[in-house]
Amino acid sequence: MIKQLLMCLTLFALVNTALAEELLTFRSELNQVRYQSLIKELRCPKCQNQNLADSNSGISVDLRQQVHNMIEAGKTDQEIIDYMVTRYGTFVLYRPQNTPATFLLWYGPFILLLGGVVLFVVVLMKSRRRRRK
């Protein structure tokens, strides 16, 4: 009897948690679109490579609720992102901001590609000179 009661309580807690997330209501369709966009752009601070939309961790649930509350309070997307960055650092951004600290992250692959092309052309020109001699 106790075992069945514990199973029912566990099931109730799981269903209640799942339903609680789906019961978010928005004042407008635009707010809901903004919410979906923001929770896909913000990374879960606890999980590895998951955004707030994909993660089921407790902090992600709390942060989704925080994003919802801030949207409904009339905050702009940038204000919400600034709040999250202030609180959790730039780690929460899936698309890191373009700053001197992230210069290599954004432009490193292009610099390596350009260096490879230059090296290829130099080697090709040296090879042609050797053939002519």
Side-chain angles (χ1 to χ4, degrees):
M1 177 75 177
I2 293 176
K3 193 174 183 179
Q4 292 173 339
L5 181 63
L6 286 175
M7 283 183 67
C8 285
L9 287 174
T10 304
L11 258 171
F12 177 74
L14 289 174
V15 169
N16 195 20
T17 301
L19 289 176
E21 289 185 35
E22 295 176 5
L23 293 178
L24 294 176
T25 56
F26 296 90
R27 286 188 206 162
S28 69
E29 187 77 22
L30 177 64
N31 283 354
Q32 188 170 6
V33 171
R34 288 178 52 212
Y35 171 80
Q36 292 298 330
S37 173
L38 281 169
I39 65 171
K40 287 179 183 172
E41 279 189 36
L42 295 170
R43 184 188 312 237
C44 170
K46 183 180 177 184
C47 308
Q48 291 291 324
N49 208 20
Q50 284 186 318
N51 58 24
L52 293 181
D54 294 338
S55 176
N56 288 325
S57 69
I59 192 164
S60 289
V61 173
D62 291 344
L63 290 179
R64 283 194 299 261
Q65 185 64 45
Q66 180 70 27
V67 169
H68 174 264
N69 293 343
M70 292 177 84
I71 286 174
E72 292 300 312
K75 302 283 186 186
T76 65
D77 290 357
Q78 191 59 49
E79 288 174 330
I80 295 169
I81 289 171
D82 289 345
Y83 171 81
M84 294 293 178
V85 169
T86 301
R87 190 161 181 188
Y88 298 102
T90 57
F91 176 79
V92 296
L93 300 175
Y94 254 124
R95 290 182 289 158
Q97 297 168 338
N98 196 352
T99 64
T102 60
F103 178 81
L104 284 179
L105 180 66
W106 283 103
Y107 302 108
F110 299 111
I111 292 170
L112 286 175
L113 180 65
L114 182 65
V117 168
V118 168
L119 183 65
F120 178 74
V121 169
V122 167
V123 168
L124 192 64
M125 291 177 75
K126 281 186 177 182
S127 176
R128 284 186 179 176
R129 285 183 190 159
R130 285 184 190 158
R131 287 184 191 164
R132 289 183 185 166
K133 289 182 181 178

